[in-house]
């Protein structure tokens, strides 16, 4: 009995982030409360201009981050040392991505904008839930004299690819009505 309690205590002491869908490989780099990637008003978003249709992704990313934070971000067509960077991967799989975090930089690499989009969705799950707000959050928090940080924690390295060739395409025939000829 004591062994079981000790085992459960050990399992729950590891702070593995809850990500949906669960990536193939998640490596926790740092679990320290002092470590984490911060979104600041001086942050830049860099990208590799050779990625097809990357401008569509950047439009979505900047809007997704600017609305809740109230910050304006500049996008640059080269590597950045602080902020967020979208790079081209040399992977053989079409929709796989890699996400690697440090305190200063998050690098998301993939072969196309779809894989980079999946990596960005993983990053959003590591930020405070207020990142999904459709209005600026920081002004209301500052009015209450509370300190608020847009910090992604823990620092992780993710490697992921779709387990199946389709995503969200299956239709449950028991819950959808079809005509007789179908």
């Amino acid at each position: 009995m004591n062994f079981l309690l000790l085992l459960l205590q050990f399992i729950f002491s590891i702070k593995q982030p809850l990500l949906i869908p669960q990536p193939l490989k998640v490596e926790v780099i740092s679990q320290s409360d002092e470590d984490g990637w911060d979104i600041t008003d001086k942050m830049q978003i860099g990208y590799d201009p050779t990625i097809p249709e990357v401008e569509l992704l950047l439009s979505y990313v900047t809007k997704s981050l600017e609305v809740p934070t109230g910050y304006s971000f500049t996008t640059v067509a080269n590597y950045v040392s602080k902020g967020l960077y979208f790079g081209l991967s040399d992977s053989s799989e079409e929709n796989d991505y890699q996400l690697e975090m440090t305190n200063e930089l998050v690098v998301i690499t993939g072969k196309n904008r779809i894989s980079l989009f999946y990596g960005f969705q993983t990053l959003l799950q590591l930020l405070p839930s207020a990142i999904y707000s459709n209005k600026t959050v920081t002004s209301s928090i500052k009015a209450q004299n509370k300190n608020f940080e847009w910090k992604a924690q823990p620092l992780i390295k993710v490697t992921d690819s779709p387990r199946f060739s389709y995503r969200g395409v299956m239709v449950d025939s028991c819950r959808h009505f079809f005509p007789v000829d179908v």
Side-chain angles (χ1 to χ4, degrees):
M1 184 69 170
N2 289 337
F3 175 73
L4 183 60
L5 290 174
L6 185 63
L7 181 64
L8 288 174
Q9 184 179 8
F10 174 74
I11 289 171
F12 289 111
S13 69
I14 299 172
K15 293 180 184 176
Q16 192 69 270
L18 299 174
L19 301 171
I20 299 173
Q22 181 67 40
L24 290 178
K25 182 179 177 185
V26 177
E27 178 185 338
V28 177
I29 298 169
S30 173
Q31 296 182 13
S32 171
D33 289 337
E34 291 84 29
D35 287 335
W37 176 74
D38 292 318
I39 297 177
T40 65
D41 56 346
K42 294 175 178 48
M43 183 180 88
Q44 289 186 329
I45 301 173
Y47 65 96
D48 184 348
T50 62
I51 301 170
E53 300 178 329
V54 72
E55 292 83 14
L56 293 172
L57 174 73
L58 290 173
S59 173
Y60 172 77
V61 167
T62 54
K63 184 177 179 186
S64 296
L65 296 177
E66 286 177 355
V67 169
T69 63
Y71 302 148
S72 283
F73 302 107
T74 57
T75 57
V76 293
N78 54 20
Y79 188 80
V80 294
S81 60
K82 289 186 177 182
L84 178 59
Y85 178 72
F86 294 97
L88 187 62
S89 172
D90 57 354
S91 173
S92 61
E93 295 294 321
E94 190 67 25
N95 287 330
D96 68 341
Y97 69 90
Q98 294 79 36
L99 181 146
E100 190 165 353
M101 300 172 65
T102 66
N103 287 328
E104 291 82 30
L105 179 67
V106 171
V107 176
I108 301 173
T109 57
K111 283 192 93 143
N112 54 35
R113 73 175 169 87
I114 295 169
S115 58
L116 296 172
F117 171 79
Y118 295 146
F120 180 67
Q121 293 303 312
T122 300
L123 175 64
L124 288 178
Q125 293 180 52
L126 297 169
L127 289 162
S129 61
I131 198 69
Y132 296 106
S133 177
N134 59 1
K135 60 183 178 178
T136 303
V137 174
T138 55
S139 60
S140 62
I141 292 173
K142 285 180 183 174
Q144 299 170 3
N145 292 325
K146 293 183 180 177
N147 292 332
F148 187 78
E149 292 181 299
W150 294 103
K151 184 177 271 196
Q153 286 181 316
L155 293 179
I156 61 172
K157 182 177 182 180
V158 174
T159 303
D160 193 22
S161 64
R163 289 179 181 89
F164 305 104
S165 60
Y166 52 86
R167 283 196 183 221
V169 178
M170 294 187 67
V171 176
D172 184 358
S173 59
C174 294
R175 294 188 181 128
H176 293 81
F177 294 101
F178 294 98
V180 174
D181 58 332
V182 171

